[in-house]
Short mmCIF file of all heavy atoms in Angstrom, two decimals:
data_model
loop_
_atom_site.label_atom_id
_atom_site.label_comp_id
_atom_site.label_asym_id
_atom_site.label_seq_id
_atom_site.Cartn_x
_atom_site.Cartn_y
_atom_site.Cartn_z
N MET A 1236 91.24 102.44 113.53
CA MET A 1236 90.56 102.66 112.27
C MET A 1236 89.05 102.63 112.54
O MET A 1236 88.55 101.69 113.14
CB MET A 1236 90.95 101.57 111.28
CG MET A 1236 90.22 101.67 109.97
SD MET A 1236 90.55 100.31 108.83
CE MET A 1236 92.29 100.52 108.53
N ASN A 1237 88.34 103.65 112.13
CA ASN A 1237 86.90 103.68 112.28
C ASN A 1237 86.28 103.52 110.90
O ASN A 1237 86.68 104.18 109.96
CB ASN A 1237 86.45 105.00 112.92
CG ASN A 1237 84.98 104.98 113.25
OD1 ASN A 1237 84.33 103.95 113.21
ND2 ASN A 1237 84.46 106.13 113.60
N MET A 1238 85.34 102.62 110.77
CA MET A 1238 84.69 102.39 109.49
C MET A 1238 83.34 103.10 109.51
O MET A 1238 82.49 102.79 110.31
CB MET A 1238 84.51 100.90 109.25
CG MET A 1238 83.99 100.56 107.88
SD MET A 1238 85.04 101.13 106.54
CE MET A 1238 86.25 99.84 106.51
N GLU A 1239 83.19 104.07 108.61
CA GLU A 1239 81.97 104.85 108.55
C GLU A 1239 81.08 104.39 107.41
O GLU A 1239 81.56 104.09 106.32
CB GLU A 1239 82.29 106.34 108.36
CG GLU A 1239 83.02 106.93 109.54
CD GLU A 1239 83.40 108.38 109.32
OE1 GLU A 1239 83.32 108.86 108.17
OE2 GLU A 1239 83.78 109.03 110.30
N CYS A 1240 79.80 104.40 107.67
CA CYS A 1240 78.82 104.06 106.64
C CYS A 1240 78.77 105.19 105.61
O CYS A 1240 78.64 106.36 105.97
CB CYS A 1240 77.45 103.88 107.29
SG CYS A 1240 76.14 103.52 106.12
N PRO A 1241 78.87 104.86 104.32
CA PRO A 1241 78.84 105.91 103.30
C PRO A 1241 77.48 106.57 103.14
O PRO A 1241 77.37 107.61 102.51
CB PRO A 1241 79.26 105.19 102.02
CG PRO A 1241 79.09 103.76 102.29
CD PRO A 1241 79.14 103.55 103.77
N HIS A 1242 76.44 106.02 103.74
CA HIS A 1242 75.10 106.63 103.63
C HIS A 1242 75.04 107.95 104.38
O HIS A 1242 74.71 108.98 103.82
CB HIS A 1242 74.03 105.65 104.14
CG HIS A 1242 72.68 106.28 104.22
ND1 HIS A 1242 71.95 106.33 105.38
CD2 HIS A 1242 71.94 106.93 103.28
CE1 HIS A 1242 70.80 106.96 105.15
NE2 HIS A 1242 70.77 107.33 103.89
N ALA A 1243 75.37 107.93 105.69
CA ALA A 1243 75.27 109.16 106.48
C ALA A 1243 76.43 109.32 107.44
O ALA A 1243 76.37 110.10 108.38
CB ALA A 1243 73.95 109.19 107.25
N GLY A 1244 77.51 108.56 107.20
CA GLY A 1244 78.74 108.74 107.97
C GLY A 1244 78.71 108.20 109.38
O GLY A 1244 79.59 108.53 110.18
N LYS A 1245 77.75 107.36 109.71
CA LYS A 1245 77.69 106.78 111.05
C LYS A 1245 78.65 105.60 111.16
O LYS A 1245 78.99 104.96 110.17
CB LYS A 1245 76.25 106.31 111.37
CG LYS A 1245 75.19 107.39 111.23
CD LYS A 1245 75.36 108.44 112.30
CE LYS A 1245 74.18 109.41 112.24
NZ LYS A 1245 74.29 110.46 113.23
N SER A 1246 79.06 105.30 112.40
CA SER A 1246 80.01 104.21 112.62
C SER A 1246 79.37 102.84 112.40
O SER A 1246 78.24 102.59 112.83
CB SER A 1246 80.54 104.28 114.05
OG SER A 1246 81.37 103.17 114.30
N LEU A 1247 80.12 101.96 111.75
CA LEU A 1247 79.67 100.58 111.55
C LEU A 1247 80.20 99.64 112.63
O LEU A 1247 79.95 98.44 112.59
CB LEU A 1247 80.15 100.07 110.18
CG LEU A 1247 79.50 100.74 108.97
CD1 LEU A 1247 80.23 100.32 107.70
CD2 LEU A 1247 78.03 100.38 108.89
N LEU A 1248 80.91 100.17 113.62
CA LEU A 1248 81.56 99.30 114.61
C LEU A 1248 80.58 98.43 115.38
O LEU A 1248 80.93 97.33 115.81
CB LEU A 1248 82.37 100.14 115.59
CG LEU A 1248 83.62 100.80 115.00
CD1 LEU A 1248 84.35 101.62 116.06
CD2 LEU A 1248 84.56 99.75 114.42
N LYS A 1249 79.34 98.87 115.57
CA LYS A 1249 78.36 98.06 116.30
C LYS A 1249 77.38 97.36 115.35
O LYS A 1249 76.35 96.87 115.77
CB LYS A 1249 77.60 98.92 117.31
CG LYS A 1249 78.51 99.39 118.44
CD LYS A 1249 77.75 100.09 119.52
CE LYS A 1249 78.73 100.49 120.64
NZ LYS A 1249 78.08 101.23 121.70
N GLY A 1250 77.75 97.31 114.06
CA GLY A 1250 76.90 96.63 113.10
C GLY A 1250 77.01 95.12 113.23
O GLY A 1250 78.06 94.60 113.59
N ASN A 1251 75.92 94.43 112.96
CA ASN A 1251 75.93 92.97 112.98
C ASN A 1251 76.34 92.45 111.61
O ASN A 1251 76.18 93.11 110.60
CB ASN A 1251 74.53 92.43 113.33
CG ASN A 1251 74.17 92.71 114.77
OD1 ASN A 1251 75.00 92.54 115.66
ND2 ASN A 1251 72.95 93.14 115.00
N CYS A 1252 76.84 91.20 111.60
CA CYS A 1252 77.24 90.55 110.37
C CYS A 1252 76.25 89.44 110.03
O CYS A 1252 75.66 88.85 110.92
CB CYS A 1252 78.64 89.97 110.50
SG CYS A 1252 79.90 91.23 110.76
N THR A 1253 76.09 89.18 108.73
CA THR A 1253 75.20 88.11 108.28
C THR A 1253 76.02 86.91 107.82
O THR A 1253 77.24 87.02 107.61
CB THR A 1253 74.32 88.57 107.10
OG1 THR A 1253 75.16 88.71 105.95
CG2 THR A 1253 73.63 89.90 107.41
N GLU A 1254 75.35 85.78 107.62
CA GLU A 1254 76.03 84.59 107.10
C GLU A 1254 76.40 84.77 105.63
O GLU A 1254 77.12 83.95 105.07
CB GLU A 1254 75.14 83.36 107.30
CG GLU A 1254 75.01 82.98 108.76
CD GLU A 1254 74.21 81.71 108.97
OE1 GLU A 1254 73.91 81.02 107.99
OE2 GLU A 1254 73.91 81.42 110.14
N GLN A 1255 75.88 85.81 104.99
CA GLN A 1255 76.22 86.10 103.58
C GLN A 1255 77.40 87.06 103.48
O GLN A 1255 77.60 87.70 102.44
CB GLN A 1255 75.01 86.68 102.86
CG GLN A 1255 73.88 85.70 102.62
CD GLN A 1255 73.09 85.38 103.89
OE1 GLN A 1255 72.84 86.25 104.72
NE2 GLN A 1255 72.73 84.12 104.06
N ASN A 1256 78.18 87.20 104.55
CA ASN A 1256 79.39 88.02 104.54
C ASN A 1256 79.07 89.51 104.35
O ASN A 1256 79.77 90.23 103.63
CB ASN A 1256 80.36 87.53 103.46
CG ASN A 1256 81.78 87.96 103.72
OD1 ASN A 1256 82.16 88.14 104.87
ND2 ASN A 1256 82.56 88.14 102.68
N GLU A 1257 77.99 89.96 105.00
CA GLU A 1257 77.60 91.37 104.94
C GLU A 1257 77.70 91.96 106.33
O GLU A 1257 77.56 91.26 107.34
CB GLU A 1257 76.15 91.51 104.48
CG GLU A 1257 75.87 90.95 103.11
CD GLU A 1257 74.38 90.78 102.88
OE1 GLU A 1257 73.70 90.20 103.75
OE2 GLU A 1257 73.91 91.22 101.84
N ILE A 1258 77.89 93.29 106.38
CA ILE A 1258 77.74 94.01 107.64
C ILE A 1258 76.50 94.90 107.51
O ILE A 1258 76.26 95.48 106.45
CB ILE A 1258 79.00 94.83 108.02
CG1 ILE A 1258 78.83 95.42 109.41
CG2 ILE A 1258 79.32 95.88 106.97
CD1 ILE A 1258 80.11 95.94 110.03
N ILE A 1259 75.71 94.96 108.59
CA ILE A 1259 74.46 95.73 108.58
C ILE A 1259 74.68 96.99 109.41
O ILE A 1259 75.02 96.92 110.60
CB ILE A 1259 73.30 94.92 109.18
CG1 ILE A 1259 73.13 93.59 108.45
CG2 ILE A 1259 72.00 95.74 109.11
CD1 ILE A 1259 72.15 92.65 109.13
N CYS A 1260 74.49 98.14 108.79
CA CYS A 1260 74.64 99.40 109.52
C CYS A 1260 73.57 99.48 110.61
O CYS A 1260 72.38 99.27 110.33
CB CYS A 1260 74.51 100.57 108.55
SG CYS A 1260 74.66 102.16 109.39
N PRO A 1261 73.96 99.79 111.85
CA PRO A 1261 72.99 99.83 112.94
C PRO A 1261 72.06 101.05 112.89
O PRO A 1261 71.12 101.13 113.68
CB PRO A 1261 73.86 99.85 114.20
CG PRO A 1261 75.15 100.43 113.76
CD PRO A 1261 75.33 100.02 112.32
N PHE A 1262 72.27 101.97 111.98
CA PHE A 1262 71.45 103.19 111.97
C PHE A 1262 70.25 103.11 111.01
O PHE A 1262 69.12 103.36 111.40
CB PHE A 1262 72.33 104.41 111.66
CG PHE A 1262 73.27 104.67 112.78
CD1 PHE A 1262 74.53 104.10 112.79
CD2 PHE A 1262 72.88 105.43 113.86
CE1 PHE A 1262 75.39 104.30 113.86
CE2 PHE A 1262 73.73 105.64 114.93
CZ PHE A 1262 74.99 105.07 114.93
N HIS A 1263 70.46 102.76 109.75
CA HIS A 1263 69.35 102.68 108.80
C HIS A 1263 69.33 101.33 108.10
O HIS A 1263 68.66 101.17 107.07
CB HIS A 1263 69.45 103.81 107.75
CG HIS A 1263 69.58 105.16 108.37
ND1 HIS A 1263 70.75 105.89 108.30
CD2 HIS A 1263 68.70 105.90 109.09
CE1 HIS A 1263 70.58 107.04 108.95
NE2 HIS A 1263 69.36 107.08 109.44
N SER A 1264 70.10 100.38 108.60
CA SER A 1264 70.06 98.97 108.16
C SER A 1264 70.51 98.74 106.73
O SER A 1264 70.14 97.73 106.12
CB SER A 1264 68.65 98.38 108.36
OG SER A 1264 68.30 98.46 109.71
N PHE A 1265 71.32 99.63 106.17
CA PHE A 1265 71.91 99.31 104.87
C PHE A 1265 72.90 98.16 105.09
O PHE A 1265 73.60 98.11 106.09
CB PHE A 1265 72.64 100.51 104.28
CG PHE A 1265 71.76 101.57 103.70
CD1 PHE A 1265 70.42 101.69 104.05
CD2 PHE A 1265 72.26 102.48 102.79
CE1 PHE A 1265 69.61 102.68 103.52
CE2 PHE A 1265 71.47 103.48 102.24
CZ PHE A 1265 70.14 103.58 102.61
N LYS A 1266 72.96 97.25 104.11
CA LYS A 1266 73.86 96.10 104.19
C LYS A 1266 74.98 96.27 103.17
O LYS A 1266 74.74 96.70 102.04
CB LYS A 1266 73.12 94.80 103.88
CG LYS A 1266 72.05 94.44 104.88
CD LYS A 1266 71.37 93.15 104.45
CE LYS A 1266 70.23 92.80 105.38
NZ LYS A 1266 69.54 91.58 104.93
N TYR A 1267 76.19 95.90 103.58
CA TYR A 1267 77.36 96.01 102.69
C TYR A 1267 78.08 94.68 102.62
O TYR A 1267 78.37 94.06 103.65
CB TYR A 1267 78.33 97.08 103.22
CG TYR A 1267 77.72 98.45 103.24
CD1 TYR A 1267 77.12 98.93 104.40
CD2 TYR A 1267 77.71 99.25 102.12
CE1 TYR A 1267 76.53 100.18 104.44
CE2 TYR A 1267 77.13 100.51 102.13
CZ TYR A 1267 76.54 100.97 103.30
OH TYR A 1267 75.95 102.21 103.31
N ASP A 1268 78.37 94.24 101.39
CA ASP A 1268 79.18 93.04 101.19
C ASP A 1268 80.60 93.35 101.66
O ASP A 1268 81.21 94.32 101.18
CB ASP A 1268 79.15 92.67 99.70
CG ASP A 1268 79.94 91.43 99.42
OD1 ASP A 1268 81.18 91.43 99.60
OD2 ASP A 1268 79.32 90.44 99.00
N MET A 1269 81.13 92.56 102.59
CA MET A 1269 82.44 92.87 103.16
C MET A 1269 83.60 92.53 102.24
O MET A 1269 84.73 92.90 102.49
CB MET A 1269 82.59 92.17 104.52
CG MET A 1269 81.68 92.79 105.57
SD MET A 1269 81.98 92.20 107.22
CE MET A 1269 81.15 90.63 107.17
N THR A 1270 83.35 91.82 101.15
CA THR A 1270 84.40 91.53 100.18
C THR A 1270 84.50 92.63 99.12
O THR A 1270 85.57 93.16 98.86
CB THR A 1270 84.15 90.17 99.50
OG1 THR A 1270 84.08 89.18 100.52
CG2 THR A 1270 85.27 89.84 98.54
N SER A 1271 83.36 93.00 98.54
CA SER A 1271 83.36 94.00 97.46
C SER A 1271 83.15 95.42 97.98
O SER A 1271 83.52 96.39 97.32
CB SER A 1271 82.24 93.68 96.46
OG SER A 1271 80.97 93.89 97.06
N GLY A 1272 82.49 95.56 99.14
CA GLY A 1272 82.13 96.87 99.67
C GLY A 1272 80.81 97.39 99.15
O GLY A 1272 80.32 98.42 99.61
N ASN A 1273 80.21 96.68 98.21
CA ASN A 1273 78.96 97.14 97.60
C ASN A 1273 77.78 97.04 98.56
O ASN A 1273 77.67 96.08 99.32
CB ASN A 1273 78.64 96.33 96.34
CG ASN A 1273 79.63 96.57 95.24
OD1 ASN A 1273 80.18 97.65 95.10
ND2 ASN A 1273 79.89 95.53 94.45
N CYS A 1274 76.90 98.02 98.49
CA CYS A 1274 75.66 97.99 99.26
C CYS A 1274 74.74 96.98 98.59
O CYS A 1274 74.53 97.04 97.37
CB CYS A 1274 75.03 99.38 99.31
SG CYS A 1274 73.57 99.46 100.35
N THR A 1275 74.16 96.08 99.38
CA THR A 1275 73.38 94.98 98.80
C THR A 1275 71.87 95.16 98.93
O THR A 1275 71.13 94.37 98.36
CB THR A 1275 73.78 93.64 99.44
OG1 THR A 1275 73.54 93.71 100.84
CG2 THR A 1275 75.24 93.32 99.17
N ASN A 1276 71.41 96.16 99.65
CA ASN A 1276 69.96 96.33 99.77
C ASN A 1276 69.51 97.75 99.43
O ASN A 1276 68.46 98.20 99.86
CB ASN A 1276 69.46 95.93 101.17
CG ASN A 1276 69.97 96.82 102.27
OD1 ASN A 1276 70.95 97.55 102.08
ND2 ASN A 1276 69.33 96.79 103.41
N ASN A 1277 70.30 98.43 98.63
CA ASN A 1277 69.96 99.78 98.19
C ASN A 1277 70.70 100.01 96.88
O ASN A 1277 71.87 99.66 96.76
CB ASN A 1277 70.40 100.79 99.26
CG ASN A 1277 70.11 102.21 98.84
OD1 ASN A 1277 70.72 102.71 97.89
ND2 ASN A 1277 69.20 102.86 99.52
N ASN A 1278 70.06 100.57 95.88
CA ASN A 1278 70.71 100.73 94.57
C ASN A 1278 71.16 102.17 94.30
O ASN A 1278 71.27 102.56 93.15
CB ASN A 1278 69.81 100.22 93.45
CG ASN A 1278 68.51 101.00 93.39
OD1 ASN A 1278 68.31 101.94 94.14
ND2 ASN A 1278 67.63 100.61 92.49
N GLU A 1279 71.45 102.93 95.35
CA GLU A 1279 71.91 104.31 95.16
C GLU A 1279 73.43 104.42 95.02
O GLU A 1279 73.97 105.52 94.99
CB GLU A 1279 71.41 105.19 96.31
CG GLU A 1279 69.89 105.32 96.32
CD GLU A 1279 69.38 106.20 97.44
OE1 GLU A 1279 70.05 107.18 97.78
OE2 GLU A 1279 68.32 105.86 97.98
N GLY A 1280 74.13 103.28 94.96
CA GLY A 1280 75.55 103.28 94.69
C GLY A 1280 76.45 103.48 95.90
O GLY A 1280 77.65 103.74 95.75
N PHE A 1281 75.93 103.33 97.11
CA PHE A 1281 76.79 103.44 98.29
C PHE A 1281 77.76 102.27 98.31
O PHE A 1281 77.40 101.14 97.98
CB PHE A 1281 75.95 103.44 99.58
CG PHE A 1281 75.08 104.64 99.73
CD1 PHE A 1281 73.71 104.55 99.62
CD2 PHE A 1281 75.65 105.89 99.95
CE1 PHE A 1281 72.91 105.67 99.74
CE2 PHE A 1281 74.86 107.02 100.07
CZ PHE A 1281 73.48 106.91 99.97
N ARG A 1282 79.00 102.54 98.71
CA ARG A 1282 80.03 101.49 98.69
C ARG A 1282 81.04 101.77 99.78
O ARG A 1282 81.48 102.92 99.96
CB ARG A 1282 80.73 101.48 97.33
CG ARG A 1282 81.69 100.36 97.14
CD ARG A 1282 82.21 100.32 95.69
NE ARG A 1282 83.07 99.18 95.52
CZ ARG A 1282 84.35 99.15 95.88
NH1 ARG A 1282 84.91 100.23 96.39
NH2 ARG A 1282 85.06 98.06 95.71
N LEU A 1283 81.44 100.71 100.51
CA LEU A 1283 82.50 100.82 101.52
C LEU A 1283 83.86 100.70 100.86
O LEU A 1283 84.01 99.99 99.87
CB LEU A 1283 82.40 99.67 102.54
CG LEU A 1283 81.21 99.64 103.46
CD1 LEU A 1283 81.29 98.38 104.32
CD2 LEU A 1283 81.17 100.88 104.33
N LYS A 1284 84.85 101.34 101.44
CA LYS A 1284 86.22 101.13 101.00
C LYS A 1284 86.65 99.76 101.52
O LYS A 1284 86.39 99.43 102.67
CB LYS A 1284 87.14 102.22 101.53
CG LYS A 1284 88.58 102.07 101.09
CD LYS A 1284 89.37 103.32 101.38
CE LYS A 1284 90.83 103.18 101.00
NZ LYS A 1284 91.07 102.72 99.64
N THR A 1285 87.31 98.98 100.69
CA THR A 1285 87.78 97.66 101.11
C THR A 1285 89.31 97.64 101.05
O THR A 1285 89.93 98.47 100.37
CB THR A 1285 87.22 96.54 100.22
OG1 THR A 1285 87.57 96.80 98.87
CG2 THR A 1285 85.71 96.46 100.35
N PHE A 1286 89.89 96.70 101.76
CA PHE A 1286 91.34 96.59 101.83
C PHE A 1286 91.75 95.15 101.57
O PHE A 1286 91.09 94.21 102.02
CB PHE A 1286 91.85 97.00 103.23
CG PHE A 1286 91.51 98.42 103.58
CD1 PHE A 1286 90.32 98.73 104.24
CD2 PHE A 1286 92.36 99.46 103.24
CE1 PHE A 1286 90.00 100.03 104.56
CE2 PHE A 1286 92.05 100.77 103.54
CZ PHE A 1286 90.86 101.05 104.21
N GLU A 1287 92.86 94.97 100.87
CA GLU A 1287 93.43 93.64 100.65
C GLU A 1287 94.03 93.15 101.96
O GLU A 1287 94.72 93.91 102.65
CB GLU A 1287 94.51 93.74 99.57
CG GLU A 1287 95.12 92.43 99.20
CD GLU A 1287 96.16 92.61 98.10
OE1 GLU A 1287 95.99 93.50 97.24
OE2 GLU A 1287 97.15 91.87 98.13
N THR A 1288 93.75 91.91 102.33
CA THR A 1288 94.27 91.37 103.59
C THR A 1288 94.90 90.00 103.34
O THR A 1288 94.64 89.35 102.33
CB THR A 1288 93.14 91.19 104.63
OG1 THR A 1288 92.18 90.26 104.12
CG2 THR A 1288 92.48 92.50 104.97
N LYS A 1289 95.75 89.58 104.29
CA LYS A 1289 96.28 88.22 104.24
C LYS A 1289 96.74 87.82 105.64
O LYS A 1289 97.05 88.67 106.49
CB LYS A 1289 97.43 88.09 103.25
CG LYS A 1289 98.70 88.80 103.65
CD LYS A 1289 99.81 88.54 102.63
CE LYS A 1289 101.06 89.31 103.00
NZ LYS A 1289 102.14 89.09 102.04
N ILE A 1290 96.75 86.50 105.87
CA ILE A 1290 97.29 85.95 107.11
C ILE A 1290 98.51 85.14 106.73
O ILE A 1290 98.45 84.27 105.85
CB ILE A 1290 96.25 85.07 107.83
CG1 ILE A 1290 95.04 85.90 108.23
CG2 ILE A 1290 96.89 84.41 109.05
CD1 ILE A 1290 93.90 85.09 108.80
N GLU A 1291 99.63 85.44 107.37
CA GLU A 1291 100.88 84.76 107.05
C GLU A 1291 101.65 84.56 108.35
O GLU A 1291 101.89 85.53 109.08
CB GLU A 1291 101.67 85.64 106.07
CG GLU A 1291 102.79 84.94 105.36
CD GLU A 1291 103.35 85.84 104.24
OE1 GLU A 1291 102.76 85.89 103.16
OE2 GLU A 1291 104.37 86.50 104.52
N HIS A 1292 102.02 83.33 108.65
CA HIS A 1292 102.76 82.99 109.87
C HIS A 1292 102.04 83.54 111.11
O HIS A 1292 102.65 84.17 111.97
CB HIS A 1292 104.20 83.52 109.82
CG HIS A 1292 104.95 83.08 108.60
ND1 HIS A 1292 105.28 81.77 108.35
CD2 HIS A 1292 105.40 83.80 107.55
CE1 HIS A 1292 105.92 81.68 107.19
NE2 HIS A 1292 105.99 82.91 106.68
N ASN A 1293 100.72 83.33 111.16
CA ASN A 1293 99.87 83.77 112.28
C ASN A 1293 99.85 85.28 112.47
O ASN A 1293 99.50 85.77 113.55
CB ASN A 1293 100.28 83.09 113.59
CG ASN A 1293 99.96 81.62 113.58
OD1 ASN A 1293 98.95 81.20 113.00
ND2 ASN A 1293 100.81 80.82 114.20
N GLN A 1294 100.19 86.03 111.45
CA GLN A 1294 100.12 87.50 111.50
C GLN A 1294 99.07 87.95 110.48
O GLN A 1294 98.99 87.42 109.38
CB GLN A 1294 101.47 88.14 111.15
CG GLN A 1294 102.58 87.79 112.11
CD GLN A 1294 102.39 88.46 113.46
OE1 GLN A 1294 102.07 89.62 113.55
NE2 GLN A 1294 102.59 87.67 114.51
N PHE A 1295 98.27 88.94 110.86
CA PHE A 1295 97.24 89.48 109.99
C PHE A 1295 97.74 90.78 109.38
O PHE A 1295 98.17 91.68 110.09
CB PHE A 1295 95.97 89.73 110.81
CG PHE A 1295 94.81 90.25 110.00
CD1 PHE A 1295 94.09 89.41 109.18
CD2 PHE A 1295 94.44 91.58 110.09
CE1 PHE A 1295 93.02 89.87 108.44
CE2 PHE A 1295 93.37 92.06 109.35
CZ PHE A 1295 92.66 91.20 108.53
N TYR A 1296 97.68 90.87 108.04
CA TYR A 1296 98.19 92.05 107.34
C TYR A 1296 97.06 92.74 106.58
O TYR A 1296 96.22 92.06 105.97
CB TYR A 1296 99.27 91.66 106.34
CG TYR A 1296 100.51 91.09 106.98
CD1 TYR A 1296 100.63 89.71 107.18
CD2 TYR A 1296 101.54 91.91 107.40
CE1 TYR A 1296 101.77 89.18 107.78
CE2 TYR A 1296 102.67 91.40 107.99
CZ TYR A 1296 102.78 90.03 108.18
OH TYR A 1296 103.88 89.50 108.76
N ILE A 1297 97.05 94.07 106.60
CA ILE A 1297 96.11 94.87 105.82
C ILE A 1297 96.91 95.78 104.92
O ILE A 1297 97.79 96.52 105.39
CB ILE A 1297 95.20 95.74 106.73
CG1 ILE A 1297 94.42 94.86 107.69
CG2 ILE A 1297 94.26 96.59 105.88
CD1 ILE A 1297 93.64 95.64 108.72
N LYS A 1298 96.65 95.74 103.62
CA LYS A 1298 97.33 96.61 102.68
C LYS A 1298 96.56 97.94 102.62
O LYS A 1298 95.39 97.97 102.22
CB LYS A 1298 97.41 95.99 101.30
CG LYS A 1298 98.15 96.83 100.30
CD LYS A 1298 98.28 96.14 98.97
CE LYS A 1298 99.05 97.00 98.01
NZ LYS A 1298 99.16 96.36 96.69
N ILE A 1299 97.22 99.00 103.04
CA ILE A 1299 96.60 100.32 103.02
C ILE A 1299 97.21 101.13 101.89
O ILE A 1299 98.43 101.31 101.83
CB ILE A 1299 96.78 101.04 104.38
CG1 ILE A 1299 96.10 100.20 105.48
CG2 ILE A 1299 96.22 102.45 104.33
CD1 ILE A 1299 96.31 100.71 106.87
N ASP A 1300 96.37 101.57 100.97
CA ASP A 1300 96.85 102.31 99.79
C ASP A 1300 97.28 103.71 100.15
O ASP A 1300 96.77 104.38 100.95
CB ASP A 1300 95.75 102.38 98.72
CG ASP A 1300 95.33 100.98 98.29
OD1 ASP A 1300 96.17 100.07 98.28
OD2 ASP A 1300 94.14 100.83 97.97
S1 FES B 1355 74.13 105.71 108.28
FE1 FES B 1355 74.33 103.65 107.72
S2 FES B 1355 72.54 103.20 106.65
FE2 FES B 1355 72.33 105.26 107.18
#
């Protein structure tokens, strides 16, 4: 699964994470809340797709719609 930044479609795989649960795009430094997907430092409405997850019996599950 490749996660692309909704700003210009660049990969977020090498983005850094903050202590505020955000990922920072390595290309233009837009920040996205990893829970809601909302962009937190730009008000143009960019948003990441998010997925429901859970850990059960040491297994990690992602719900894909
Ligand atoms: S491509 Fe991510 S902020 Fe521009």
Side-chain angles (χ1 to χ4, degrees):
M1236 176 185 296
N1237 188 11
M1238 187 60 81
E1239 295 177 347
C1240 178
H1242 172 237
K1245 304 292 187 181
S1246 175
L1247 292 170
L1248 291 179
K1249 292 187 178 177
N1251 290 317
C1252 297
T1253 71
E1254 291 184 10
Q1255 290 74 38
N1256 202 28
E1257 300 164 311
I1258 186 165
I1259 305 171
C1260 179
F1262 292 92
H1263 308 110
S1264 301
F1265 284 20
K1266 295 179 184 178
Y1267 298 94
D1268 181 295
M1269 290 189 282
T1270 303
S1271 69
N1273 293 328
C1274 185
T1275 59
N1276 66 342
N1277 178 293
N1278 62 3
E1279 294 181 35
F1281 294 110
R1282 186 173 184 278
L1283 293 177
K1284 181 167 177 52
T1285 57
F1286 300 90
E1287 183 179 326
T1288 61
K1289 69 177 177 180
I1290 297 173
E1291 196 171 279
H1292 307 294
N1293 291 325
Q1294 298 289 316
F1295 182 75
Y1296 295 92
I1297 301 173
K1298 182 177 181 181
I1299 299 175
D1300 301 327

